[in-house]
Amino acid sequence: MAALKGPSGAAEESGIPRILVVGGGYVGMYTALRLQRRLKHDEAEIVVVEPQPYMTYQPFLPEAAAGSISPRHVVVPLRRVLDRCTLVIGEARRIDHGKRVATLTTLATEEEGSVALELPYDHLVLAPGSVSRTLPIPGLAEHGIGFKTVEEAIGLRNHVLEQLDIASSTRDVEVRDAALTFVFVGGGYAGVEALGELEDMARYAVRYYHNVEADDLRWILVEATDRILPEVGEEMGRYAIRELRGRNVDIRLNTRLESCENRVAALDDGSRVPTRTLVWTAGVKPHPVLSRTDLPLGGRGRIECTADLRIAGTEGAWSAGDAAAVPDLTSDDPGALCAPNAQHALRQARVLADNIVASLRGEPLTDYRHAYAGSVASLGLHKGVAQVYGRKLKGYPAWFMHRAYHLSRMPTFNRKARILAEWVLSGLFKREIVSLGSLENPRAEFELAAETGRKPDAP
């Protein structure tokens, strides 16, 4: 295995300490961005390792799926934002902090057929985020659709619109009913917001179908506990249930998915629901790379951290966000941990970067301390719920606050301006209801032409 060098040579050769940031999500991008702003060129070399060349702002995925925002505008290009960092498009496979070495694979190593690269470092920021938490449910791997990436969001939008096309063009009652039935598993932010936005979009789209009515659509939300959206409080959670049920959404509380084989969702309440759409949003789990390190893990597989965001029992290793178990100093419970959400991740990144700078300069470190401000959630266009600093909002005010808050947190003025412009235009013009599912297989038409001699533009 070879040692990877940055554009100006290896850090150990130049004598400049190397800061390795594993992950380009909320924590990774914002930490690297603050480091490059605060550090001088000769103070440290910053290397960011991330499988994708962009950061996805996940709170806007439901609106991207519904067509309110262009997919390009919910992602932030890392090369443009982190212009003073070395960006490696790859994945950390193993981390040996005892040796201060990370083992990486990149697109180039796959093309070359080599095994991996070894990247030495002086400081490590471990922020790979989380992945969808799946269960060994029969049929889930084959038929489930996730909702954590921009690719999944756009794929789900295309899929929903394609189901309307299928239902409109078939005379088979069973096929039609399965196409018009949409099952979402998980009553947290991702599941509720995705269902709310897509139900809005589909309800609008069916007005252009001569033989599909809004009442033909069947939406089912399956939640294993006795409430949805626990982050916004019990009262607002009950309001969200009333709002969704008022739109004919079938909400099944205290219910679990047992199987989804043969395109039939079998629930533990005994019901069997034929469906061509099963969206899985039942939680997340820490990234698998955490189990391939020599760093201490907590009970739920997250990295154990101290209040100053250092990894417990180590020197030169830091973590925050979904991957980290950070003590919540604002809680009365001495064992409380910060919730793994975007609100904490953004603020932790700032403290983490400042503490690395302080460590390099021999200055004292700062503990992370931030009281939870509250939560906002969208239930579709002009509908939402919120609980912020004890104040409860619902309907249009909550929806407006949801948009305003997340627009303010969207990185770069460029992205803010583009999203705001799209919102203004969407208020002036009709929704786009075109499915571009063919984008997922762009060579299909060419392959057909090559095999049959048919021209791509022939009827």
Side-chain angles (χ1 to χ4, degrees):
M1 291 183 280
L4 180 67
K5 295 185 178 182
S8 59
E12 64 273 14
E13 295 176 358
S14 63
I16 299 175
R18 172 180 285 160
I19 302 171
L20 173 63
V21 180
V22 176
Y26 292 115
V27 173
M29 191 201 77
Y30 278 104
T31 298
L33 181 62
R34 192 166 179 85
L35 285 172
Q36 75 174 13
R37 288 174 176 170
R38 293 207 57 198
L39 291 172
K40 299 177 182 178
H41 287 278
D42 59 352
E43 280 192 280
E45 175 192 8
I46 308 167
V47 179
V48 179
V49 177
E50 163 62 32
Q52 303 293 343
Y54 53 79
M55 186 274 273
T56 302
Y57 192 75
Q58 293 181 348
F60 280 149
L61 287 184
E63 291 205 47
S68 300
I69 302 176
S70 169
R72 302 189 313 275
H73 300 157
V74 302
V75 298
V76 181
L78 294 177
R79 293 191 187 278
R80 176 183 294 178
V81 175
L82 304 179
D83 55 337
R84 285 182 51 199
C85 301
T86 300
L87 179 62
V88 178
I89 304 303
E91 198 165 356
R93 296 296 184 181
R94 290 187 304 278
I95 296 175
D96 187 343
H97 188 66
K99 297 180 179 179
R100 304 287 176 107
V101 170
T103 303
L104 316 176
T105 57
T106 68
L107 296 177
T109 58
E110 294 176 5
E111 290 292 329
E112 296 168 354
S114 55
V115 179
L117 301 170
E118 285 189 343
L119 181 62
Y121 61 83
D122 298 284
H123 286 266
L124 171 70
V125 177
L126 189 55
S130 58
V131 297
S132 296
R133 177 174 59 87
T134 59
L135 299 175
I137 296 174
L140 180 61
E142 293 78 15
H143 303 297
I145 303 172
F147 197 79
K148 189 167 173 58
T149 67
V150 67
E151 294 86 358
E152 289 174 330
I154 304 311
L156 181 56
R157 167 187 169 81
N158 292 332
H159 176 82
V160 169
L161 292 174
E162 285 170 1
Q163 300 315 300
L164 300 184
D165 292 332
I166 291 172
S168 177
S169 57
T170 184
R171 295 183 179 180
D172 188 312
V173 176
E174 292 184 357
V175 171
R176 175 186 169 90
D177 289 346
L180 296 179
T181 300
F182 307 94
V183 178
F184 286 68
V185 181
Y189 276 127
V192 173
E193 291 192 334
L195 186 151
E197 293 285 351
L198 287 167
E199 191 273 342
D200 243 2
M201 180 199 71
R203 181 180 292 272
Y204 177 88
V206 295
R207 68 179 65 183
Y208 297 101
Y209 290 80
H210 69 282
N211 57 352
V212 180
E213 302 291 336
D215 290 342
D216 297 334
L217 304 176
R218 186 183 182 192
W219 300 83
I220 301 175
L221 178 63
V222 178
E223 168 56 38
T225 67
D226 61 352
R227 59 194 293 193
I228 66 172
L229 295 175
E231 298 87 352
V232 299
E234 186 175 353
E235 180 182 343
M236 291 295 97
R238 289 197 301 268
Y239 168 81
I241 290 176
R242 292 196 302 271
E243 165 67 26
L244 292 174
R245 283 178 172 166
R247 291 154 59 181
N248 292 325
V249 176
D250 183 0
I251 300 178
R252 309 282 185 94
L253 300 178
N254 297 309
T255 306
R256 299 176 184 274
L257 177 71
E258 291 188 334
S259 76
C260 52
E261 293 180 301
N262 302 318
R263 295 189 180 277
V264 176
L267 308 180
D268 66 358
D269 61 4
S271 58
R272 293 173 58 83
V273 182
T275 178
R276 296 175 56 87
T277 307
L278 190 139
V279 183
W280 181 265
T281 61
V284 296
K285 63 181 180 181
H287 196 283
V289 72
L290 300 187
S291 63
R292 299 192 293 269
T293 72
D294 57 350
L295 299 169
L297 300 182
R300 296 187 178 181
R302 297 160 68 188
I303 294 287
E304 291 186 358
C305 292
T306 57
D308 56 13
L309 303 178
R310 286 181 296 180
I311 296 177
T314 69
E315 291 292 333
W318 315 75
S319 187
D322 289 357
V326 179
D328 185 356
L329 300 184
T330 65
S331 173
D332 296 331
D333 181 2
L337 300 175
C338 293
N341 56 37
Q343 185 180 146
H344 281 300
L346 294 175
R347 291 166 172 80
Q348 288 171 359
R350 185 181 302 114
V351 175
L352 194 159
D354 289 345
N355 279 347
I356 292 178
V357 173
S359 176
L360 291 172
R361 296 174 179 173
E363 298 170 354
L365 307 184
T366 302
D367 287 344
Y368 173 73
R369 183 188 300 270
H370 173 72
Y372 191 56
S375 298
V376 291
S378 170
L379 301 177
L381 189 63
H382 300 160
K383 297 175 282 290
V385 291
Q387 181 167 284
V388 181
Y389 293 115
R391 296 191 62 184
K392 300 170 184 177
L393 300 172
K394 57 188 178 182
Y396 186 89
W399 171 83
F400 182 83
M401 177 173 286
H402 174 271
R403 280 196 164 184
Y405 173 79
H406 287 300
L407 182 66
S408 70
R409 293 296 181 265
M410 186 69 187
T412 78
F413 176 79
N414 177 297
R415 286 295 182 273
K416 287 184 175 71
R418 289 178 183 271
I419 290 173
L420 183 59
E422 286 193 309
W423 283 341
V424 172
L425 292 174
S426 66
L428 299 175
F429 300 100
K430 296 180 179 180
R431 280 180 183 257
E432 293 292 343
I433 58 167
V434 177
S435 168
L436 295 177
S438 58
L439 291 177
E440 298 166 22
N441 188 12
R443 297 191 70 248
E445 187 72 10
F446 183 80
E447 291 170 353
L448 177 63
E451 291 175 4
T452 66
R454 168 176 171 261
K455 294 183 179 179
D457 58 351

